[in-house]
Amino acid sequence: MSPLAHPSIQDGWFREISSQWPGQAMTLKVNKILHIEKSLYQDVLVFESETFGNVLVLDGVIQCTERDEFSYQEMIAHLPLASHPNPKKVLVIGGGDGGVVREVLKHDTVEEVVLCDIDEAVIRVSKIYLPHMSSLLDSPRVKVFVGDGFKFLAENEATYDVIITDSSDPVGPAEALFQKPYFKLLHDALTPGGHISTQAESQWLHIPLIAHLLKSTRELFAVSQYAFTTIPTYPSGQIGFMVCSKEQGRDISVPVRKVTNTRYYNENVHRAAFVLPQFVQSFLEDGKDILPVFGRAAAAAKIATEGKKIRKVLLLGSGFVARPCAEYVVRDPSNELTIACRTLQSAHALAEGLPNAQGISLDVNNTNDLEAQVAAHDLVISLIPYTYHVTVIKAAIKAKVHVVTTSYISPAMRELDEEAKRAGIIVMNEIGLDPGIDHLYAIKTIDEVHAKGGKIKQFLSYCGGLPAPECSGNPLGYKFSWSSRGVLLALLNSAAYLSEGKQLDISGNELMGYAKPYFISPAFAFVAYPNRNSVPFREWYNIPEAETVVRGTLRYQGFPEFIKALVELGWLDASEKDWLKDGLTWAQVMQRAIGANDAVESTLVAHVKSVCKFPNDAEATRIISGLRWIGLFSSEAVKPRAGNLLDTLCAQLETLMKYEQGERDLVMLQHKFVVEWADGSEQTLTSTLEQYGSPSGHSAMALTVGVPCGIATQLVLDGVFKTPGVHAPYTKEICDPIREILESEGLGLVERVL
């Protein structure tokens, strides 16, 4: 049995990262994971921490720890109970861990407590791992009801003297617990003079929400006040409560009975809980925000004061790399970002949580709509497939709007150079990773060598987007961080490069046969093969003296041979097959693809060996095992995609080779320069990027493509680049400003002399 693992626990530390408290996170050192499950409603995690005992986490958010839970449980319970003259019947909504019920039972007046929690898993797990909180759920004064709190309230009007809502944060289904209809249900379920207490978030993070809660409850209850407690493991070390009463004139800040056997709560703490800091009081009572203004908010205020022009940016596409680019663009509050996708849902998802950003639906095949949107903006970022770039650039030329893409300049794009110049627009391309970051550091080193009188005799540049080594355990050693079809079709591109002064041309069908082991670090078993046409880069990089110029791709050992087998077996054929229909098994499709006599596995394997001509038995076993892993010999039904073998294979690989939760990718990029100095001596210089993705954040590929694109966009908007036309970063004037900012983002290459 493999050890328990959870995506929120990395390197022995639990990280509570959430959009509800952006830019900050609680971390706890983990001794061991005790329990993991997906209940019907949420992700449930229990771990033993080094300093806070057992910790219950729901959907990645800490609910309670053995060390500090009492401050929350005591305050949310005793504030409404101790200020009520005679509470007999109490309802607890949520709180399946039992902590609130434990505190309610400290009041002798209470005759009955009902706990209503929708998730039985929380109750069950808490009894095992948090018995000091949950043990009193078995008390004869307690009834436990597993079900929907809304329905329970609606069926029990005018029943309870105090109702306590121990809810999670207002995300997903719990969002309804922070809205007025829920408070109306609470109000109606109370007896005359009844009290409620609900979890009401942090004054350091959620003042607008607190103000909304206060307004909603004051429209329903005679008395409504916000109170708070301190608790180390909740965001910002503080959490609040909305405490309300149906009794006009009741002072809920004054306890009318003494509560014993507490660790946090006492009479003075009860009173003090309602005494709010000035910044909270000013916002809640006077509507004035007196908190410091800094960072982006300060910049936005300055822009508003100075009347600076707002720049409108249109981002086309919502693929893997779009989010880091969008995040960078909206850092500047003078930028307004419109994200346009074919589906409105995708656009909204990408825009969610971004300031000054909106999502719209746009079909780029509709020329009129595309031209209208382009004309309404100052710059267009095109992250859609490169085949659409010419259409986008033509629309931009017509509207005199700048364009940024991460794609190579195609001949059709290059033909628009003069029109772009006449329109006075900049069309900046090739500014992602590869192409992009690779250009920045190639130009840097080449310029530095030339300035010192040296010559570049050999230039070798290889880049790979790969799964991190610990996530690479499938037969291809690869996972998809972008279009699977694009990845596989790229393996059929022809290639050309210079070697010792001679041009070598490789057809797409032969490309994998040219893959060779390539050393970067002892930690990796890489192979490398040429990518596209490297020959023009001798001119574009201004290295006419170079005898060897090659730009290529890195993969893990074993990948090229596997792809070569797939090519030879016909699985990368994108032509339509009239026989590829529903009702066939994978083995039958394999039989038709390779021309075998039947679909029996032994027959298929024998035919594969005859077609592929493996160099030895070990290699044959490895690749045939991989084909079996893909399912190509199986009796399972095929679901054909697009009527061809390539897309049908892609559909299968997208399932088998996707990044799972908690996994990360790796980007490896290295330039190698063999330099001849004026004195005849030689040196080998390298520039290397080894960038890992974050399992809880952006992939390395998204970051290294999206951020350079965002930087280039900002520099175009700011007028740093002034020369109109179709450009790529092949000059110092373009590369230096982008590279300097890129390095400040932590994405620079490490330069060494071997």
Side-chain angles (χ1 to χ4, degrees):
M1 180 178 176
S2 59
L4 294 175
H6 194 273
S8 65
I9 298 174
Q10 300 290 330
D11 302 323
W13 287 81
F14 166 80
R15 294 170 173 84
E16 185 187 59
I17 298 172
S18 171
S19 59
Q20 298 170 84
W21 35 90
Q24 67 183 66
M26 180 68 185
T27 63
L28 290 174
K29 191 170 184 181
V30 178
N31 287 342
K32 60 182 175 181
I33 300 175
L34 300 173
H35 182 83
I36 293 173
E37 76 171 273
K38 291 279 188 183
S39 76
L40 292 175
Y41 302 96
Q42 54 203 337
D43 177 87
V44 181
L45 164 68
V46 184
F47 65 87
E48 178 190 289
S49 70
E50 185 172 280
T51 52
F52 279 80
N54 289 355
V55 182
L56 172 65
V57 179
L58 300 180
D59 283 338
V61 177
I62 294 172
Q63 303 300 305
C64 55
T65 81
E66 287 185 290
R67 178 177 173 180
D68 66 1
E69 55 83 15
F70 61 87
S71 68
Y72 173 82
Q73 319 292 346
E74 290 181 11
M75 294 296 280
I76 197 172
H78 300 320
L79 291 178
L81 285 163
S83 57
H84 190 288
N86 190 28
K88 293 183 178 180
K89 296 188 70 175
V90 178
L91 171 63
V92 179
I93 303 285
D97 53 53
V100 173
V101 169
R102 178 195 66 199
E103 297 304 316
V104 171
L105 292 175
K106 292 177 181 178
H107 292 260
D108 295 336
T109 61
V110 173
E111 298 171 356
E112 178 184 272
V113 187
V114 175
L115 172 72
C116 177
D117 196 305
I118 199 168
D119 195 346
E120 65 79 26
V122 176
I123 300 170
R124 168 173 44 82
V125 169
S126 297
K127 286 183 176 181
I128 299 170
Y129 298 105
L130 298 166
H132 74 289
M133 297 175 65
S134 59
S135 60
L136 291 180
L137 293 179
D138 296 326
S139 166
R141 287 195 284 166
V142 177
K143 295 180 181 178
V144 176
F145 175 79
V146 176
D148 182 5
F150 279 80
K151 184 179 179 182
F152 190 89
L153 287 168
E155 294 172 352
N156 289 274
E157 291 189 3
T159 302
Y160 296 100
D161 301 310
V162 174
I163 303 174
I164 300 166
T165 304
D166 179 10
S167 71
S168 54
D169 299 296
V171 175
E175 186 175 2
L177 303 178
F178 292 76
Q179 295 172 351
K180 192 172 181 179
Y182 178 69
F183 288 105
K184 180 68 166 62
L185 284 172
L186 292 175
H187 178 276
D188 294 347
L190 288 173
T191 57
H195 290 187
I196 68 163
S197 176
T198 70
Q199 191 271 104
E201 299 299 325
S202 168
Q203 59 194 359
W204 287 103
L205 298 168
H206 307 115
I207 290 187
L209 174 62
I210 295 168
H212 168 74
L213 292 175
L214 201 59
K215 179 177 182 296
S216 297
T217 53
R218 283 179 175 174
E219 291 172 355
L220 294 168
F221 291 89
V223 178
S224 177
Q225 288 183 253
Y226 178 79
F228 69 95
T229 188
T230 62
I231 177 166
T233 54
Y234 282 7
S236 296
Q238 180 270 331
I239 196 74
F241 316 102
M242 203 58 61
V243 186
C244 309
S245 174
K246 292 175 74 171
E247 183 70 23
Q248 187 69 43
R250 182 165 291 165
D251 189 350
I252 53 180
S253 68
V254 177
V256 295
R257 284 185 319 284
K258 189 175 181 64
V259 183
T260 59
N261 194 27
T262 60
R263 288 187 169 98
Y264 187 95
Y265 175 90
N266 61 41
E267 293 178 26
N268 290 329
V269 167
H270 184 125
R271 294 184 179 91
F274 293 88
V275 180
L276 303 180
Q278 188 59 42
F279 76 92
V280 182
Q281 185 176 316
S282 293
F283 195 97
L284 298 183
E285 302 302 333
D286 305 323
K288 294 181 179 179
D289 187 353
I290 63 172
L291 284 169
V293 179
F294 56 92
R296 190 184 187 282
K302 183 179 180 183
I303 287 167
T305 302
E306 296 176 350
K308 184 179 177 181
K309 181 179 182 294
I310 299 297
R311 286 87 60 93
K312 296 183 177 181
V313 179
L314 176 65
L315 192 159
L316 301 176
S318 62
F320 293 108
V321 304
R323 180 72 185 203
C325 177
E327 289 174 352
Y328 191 91
V329 169
V330 298
R331 288 188 197 178
D332 187 331
S334 65
N335 296 338
E336 288 184 354
L337 181 65
T338 301
I339 297 167
C341 306
R342 185 174 55 83
T343 62
L344 186 61
Q345 182 180 5
S346 297
H348 282 164
L350 183 56
E352 185 178 1
L354 295 177
N356 283 15
Q358 64 168 340
I360 64 168
S361 173
L362 177 65
D363 182 356
V364 294
N365 293 300
N366 186 319
T367 303
N368 291 335
D369 288 353
L370 175 64
E371 289 182 349
Q373 285 299 331
V374 169
H377 293 81
D378 300 298
L379 183 147
V380 181
I381 303 169
S382 185
L383 297 179
I384 52 180
Y386 73 93
T387 51
Y388 292 102
H389 289 336
V390 168
T391 303
V392 172
I393 295 169
K394 286 180 177 178
I397 289 170
K398 183 177 180 180
K400 298 185 176 181
V401 169
H402 301 302
V403 180
V404 176
T405 85
T406 59
S407 301
Y408 284 104
I409 300 175
S410 67
M413 293 162 68
R414 201 176 297 279
E415 288 176 3
L416 298 173
D417 182 51
E418 287 301 322
E419 290 184 54
K421 288 176 179 176
R422 286 195 295 271
I425 68 167
I426 294 167
V427 182
M428 184 63 67
N429 306 279
E430 301 188 24
I431 190 56
L433 167 64
D434 172 16
I437 295 177
D438 56 347
H439 295 330
L440 307 182
Y441 281 86
I443 297 301
K444 176 181 184 291
T445 299
I446 290 167
D447 284 353
E448 290 172 349
V449 168
H450 285 170
K452 295 175 182 177
K455 297 178 180 179
I456 305 292
K457 303 302 289 182
Q458 296 181 41
F459 172 74
L460 301 92
S461 175
Y462 291 100
C463 183
L466 299 158
E470 71 273 13
C471 307
S472 62
N474 65 52
L476 281 85
Y478 192 81
K479 294 199 173 186
F480 295 110
S481 61
W482 63 293
S483 162
S484 61
R485 194 177 202 272
V487 170
L488 295 180
L489 281 178
L491 301 171
L492 296 177
N493 288 334
S494 59
Y497 65 99
L498 295 171
S499 177
E500 298 178 352
K502 297 178 182 178
Q503 179 171 331
L504 299 180
D505 297 295
I506 307 168
S507 69
N509 286 337
E510 297 175 322
L511 183 62
M512 291 299 99
Y514 279 79
K516 297 290 186 290
Y518 192 79
F519 180 83
I520 290 179
S521 159
F524 299 97
F526 288 130
V527 292
Y529 52 88
N531 180 27
R532 299 177 182 248
N533 187 0
S534 302
V535 176
F537 284 90
R538 180 159 66 175
E539 174 190 347
W540 294 338
Y541 283 175
N542 189 29
I543 46 175
E545 72 275 19
E547 297 168 356
T548 297
V549 176
V550 57
R551 301 172 76 253
T553 300
L554 293 172
R555 291 289 181 260
Y556 289 130
Q557 180 180 321
F559 176 88
E561 294 83 359
F562 203 106
I563 295 298
K564 184 172 181 288
L566 289 174
V567 171
E568 291 171 340
L569 296 170
W571 279 100
L572 268 60
D573 183 356
S575 63
E576 190 169 344
K577 310 293 183 189
D578 56 9
W579 54 264
L580 185 55
K581 305 291 185 183
D582 288 328
L584 295 174
T585 67
W586 280 100
Q588 290 170 333
V589 173
M590 182 66 133
Q591 177 196 355
R592 294 292 296 268
I594 66 177
N597 292 329
D598 57 54
V600 176
E601 180 172 322
S602 59
T603 305
L604 296 175
V605 168
H607 202 85
V608 167
K609 288 181 178 180
S610 69
V611 170
C612 295
K613 296 179 174 58
F614 300 114
N616 52 59
D617 289 343
E619 187 70 350
T621 299
R622 181 181 75 84
I623 292 178
I624 289 169
S625 296
L627 298 176
R628 187 178 294 112
W629 175 81
I630 294 173
L632 300 185
F633 305 136
S634 81
S635 59
E636 290 186 14
V638 169
K639 295 180 180 177
R641 179 193 282 182
N644 66 68
L645 292 170
L646 171 65
D647 287 292
T648 301
L649 176 65
C650 286
Q652 182 78 340
L653 295 183
E654 284 164 7
T655 300
L656 293 171
M657 295 169 61
K658 66 180 184 294
Y659 281 92
E660 302 292 346
Q661 189 175 35
E663 292 187 331
R664 60 179 185 159
D665 68 331
L666 161 69
V667 162
M668 180 67 78
L669 165 64
Q670 187 183 75
H671 294 324
K672 189 177 289 182
F673 309 85
V674 177
V675 179
E676 182 183 282
W677 296 108
D679 63 2
S681 63
E682 279 196 356
Q683 274 187 325
T684 300
L685 314 179
T686 62
S687 303
T688 307
L689 174 68
E690 183 179 336
Q691 182 74 31
Y692 290 89
S694 167
S696 57
H698 294 309
S699 69
M701 182 61 70
L703 206 63
T704 54
V705 175
V707 171
C709 181
I711 292 170
T713 297
Q714 191 63 53
L715 291 173
V716 171
L717 290 170
D718 291 343
V720 174
F721 303 139
K722 303 181 188 300
T723 306
V726 177
H727 297 286
Y730 298 160
T731 65
K732 178 180 176 65
E733 291 71 27
I734 294 176
C735 291
D736 282 3
I738 300 175
R739 194 191 69 254
E740 288 169 8
I741 299 173
L742 190 74
E743 289 175 352
S744 73
E745 297 291 322
L747 294 176
L749 273 62
V750 176
E751 297 170 301
R752 290 194 174 98
V753 178
L754 297 185

